[in-house]
Amino acid sequence: VAVVGATGAVGEAMIAELERSTLPIAELVPMASARSAGKTVAFRGAEVPVVEATPEAFSGIDLALFSAGGQTSRALAPEAVRRGAVVVDNSSAFRLEDRVPLVVPEVNAEALTDHRGLIANPNCSTIQMVVALAPLRERYGLRRIVVSTYQAVSGAGRRAVDALRFESGRWLEGEGFVPEVLPVATLPVKYPIADNVIPQIDRFEPNGFTFEQMKMVRETQKIFGDPALEVAATCVRVPVTVGHSEAVTVELEEAPASMEDVIEALRAAPGVVVWDDPTAQRYPTPMLVRGERDVYVGRIRRDLFRPNVVHLWVVADNLVKGAAWNAVQIAETLEEKGLLRVPATEGDR
Ligand code: A2P
């Protein structure tokens, strides 16, 4: 099993998930850029050397988990598949391609059936939202989703986590600093993330939405197999290291009989945990769900004016369910279904 991007924030979480996975792993091959030559990562009690990710490095690999950015995926994922590795790719490079399944196992595991070697892991904010909304979609039908996110800096990688720590230290000491990483490392304008929130994640598209916001629209439509589903997203970076939160307003086809009925649907859903008790001030926060695989839902309310509209607060660990666990869960699901192999025809592509 290879992990590409093994030295990154998500790569490290992938290795931790592989450590506790049921997959039979004979050997772990951590891969990164040439910059990481000489580094090691810990896996099941051993220090494993990091190797440079090159096309040749994939010979003999059965499963490759990629989280090293879109460019690396575009360059190397097809090379890995050509050499017989099933790829689960965490970048946005292939997510919307017709022949690439975009999978959240609790929601659309059936999409794995005719994979061609490459499976895409959805965006972190999309994953936790669709896990929470799938049971409501099934019971009442979905018409429209309005979501505002409160996204942790770890979603932007290790440098962003370091930036939050550094800036916060300086800010609390009353010292100055120059923001260098957020909102987007490769764009010219930067904003502080210490003591701040930033209403931009990823670059802007010509329609005025950011790419992150459009990922939530397009990926949700693809996962639910409903290209007409209306989704309006506002994605915001907040000074939290780990754990994305979302305020979700959902317009249903049918008005639920009661909020107890909504809670029952959510409680019965795989991968969902309901923590919702106003009398005990019980609801999920990023710090409370850190390291957990499930998606937590609280603050469940019926709209004051529209009986078919429900408001929810949805929190998950963006590195675990939002990335690493979902990828490993895809691999485990492939293994269970006997699909952890590249179909023969793909070798000649
Ligand atoms: P490296 O540490 O060698 O740069 P993060 O999202 O936390 O910033 O991590 C990004 C990950 O992607 C790191 O493991 C990084 O490795 C890896 N990476 C970046 N560029 C490449 C590349 N061209 N080839 C392989 N891995 C890459």
Side-chain angles (χ1 to χ4, degrees):
V1 176
V3 172
V4 185
T7 52
V10 170
E12 186 183 323
M14 282 173 162
I15 291 167
E17 286 301 326
L18 286 172
E19 251 179 344
R20 57 174 176 156
S21 162
T22 56
L23 289 168
I25 303 171
E27 191 188 343
L28 177 81
V29 183
M31 299 188 191
S33 77
R35 291 180 293 273
S36 292
K39 286 191 187 162
T40 60
V41 302
F43 183 71
R44 294 186 174 161
E47 286 298 320
V48 187
V50 177
V51 303
E52 185 182 353
T54 61
E56 297 71 38
F58 292 96
S59 355
I61 299 290
D62 301 304
L63 169 68
L65 308 180
F66 273 69
S67 193
Q71 245 183 318
T72 303
S73 291
R74 264 186 289 270
L76 292 175
E79 296 288 345
V81 173
R82 198 166 296 139
R83 286 166 176 80
V86 171
V87 170
V88 182
D89 180 32
N90 192 48
S91 82
S92 59
F94 304 104
R95 286 180 189 151
L96 300 178
E97 285 193 9
D98 272 348
R99 290 161 27 148
V100 176
L102 180 65
V103 176
V104 180
E106 292 91 339
V107 181
N108 66 335
E110 69 285 351
L112 291 170
T113 309
D114 2 272
H115 79 82
R116 292 159 176 262
L118 177 63
I119 294 117
N121 207 37
N123 165 265
C124 42
S125 296
T126 306
I127 292 175
Q128 68 183 70
M129 184 172 81
V130 299
V131 169
L133 295 188
L136 305 188
R137 177 171 191 265
E138 193 165 320
R139 193 172 290 205
Y140 314 107
L142 275 190
R143 200 178 281 165
R144 179 174 165 80
I145 302 165
V146 180
V147 55
S148 299
T149 69
Y150 305 69
Q151 294 183 226
V153 293
S154 52
R158 214 179 263 295
R159 277 189 72 204
V161 177
D162 294 343
L164 172 60
R165 295 204 174 111
F166 172 76
E167 289 181 10
S168 300
R170 302 284 291 199
W171 180 254
L172 292 171
E173 296 297 323
E175 305 273 350
F177 62 87
V178 178
E180 286 177 353
V181 182
L182 291 166
V184 180
T186 50
L187 293 179
V189 178
K190 301 294 193 293
Y191 292 98
I193 189 62
D195 208 17
N196 208 8
V197 299
I198 306 175
Q200 179 188 355
I201 299 183
D202 221 318
R203 60 188 158 75
F204 279 93
E205 296 214 350
N207 65 8
F209 284 84
T210 60
F211 188 44
E212 183 82 355
Q213 291 165 344
M214 294 310 298
K215 285 177 207 166
M216 293 194 78
V217 177
R218 298 178 182 126
E219 293 180 21
T220 301
Q221 291 172 338
K222 177 167 174 175
I223 294 163
F224 282 145
D226 181 359
L229 179 62
E230 293 181 24
V231 183
T234 302
C235 294
V236 180
R237 190 74 71 190
V238 298
V240 168
T241 52
V242 176
H244 287 358
S245 307
E246 300 178 341
V248 185
T249 293
V250 57
E251 184 180 334
L252 304 164
E253 297 283 352
E254 239 176 79
S258 64
M259 285 306 98
E260 288 69 39
D261 195 58
V262 169
I263 289 170
E264 185 193 287
L266 287 165
R267 278 199 206 285
V272 178
V273 176
V274 176
W275 280 357
D276 189 16
D277 182 0
T279 60
Q281 291 175 272
R282 182 135 170 95
Y283 40 75
T285 71
M287 208 180 271
L288 288 172
V289 312
R290 215 179 159 123
E292 300 295 332
R293 287 176 162 179
D294 289 321
V295 172
Y296 290 75
V297 184
R299 303 295 326 279
I300 301 160
R301 291 149 287 154
R302 194 196 292 276
D303 189 71
L304 293 177
F305 306 97
R306 299 184 182 218
N308 65 326
V309 171
V310 172
H311 304 282
L312 314 161
W313 175 248
V314 180
V315 187
D317 186 317
N318 56 301
L319 297 177
V320 178
K321 182 55 183 169
W325 163 235
N326 200 71
V328 171
Q329 189 185 17
I330 287 172
E332 288 184 0
T333 310
L334 288 168
E335 161 85 358
E336 281 157 24
K337 291 175 180 271
L339 292 169
L340 198 46
R341 37 147 193 83
V342 178
T345 51
E346 290 310 293
D348 321 317
R349 234 187 356 184

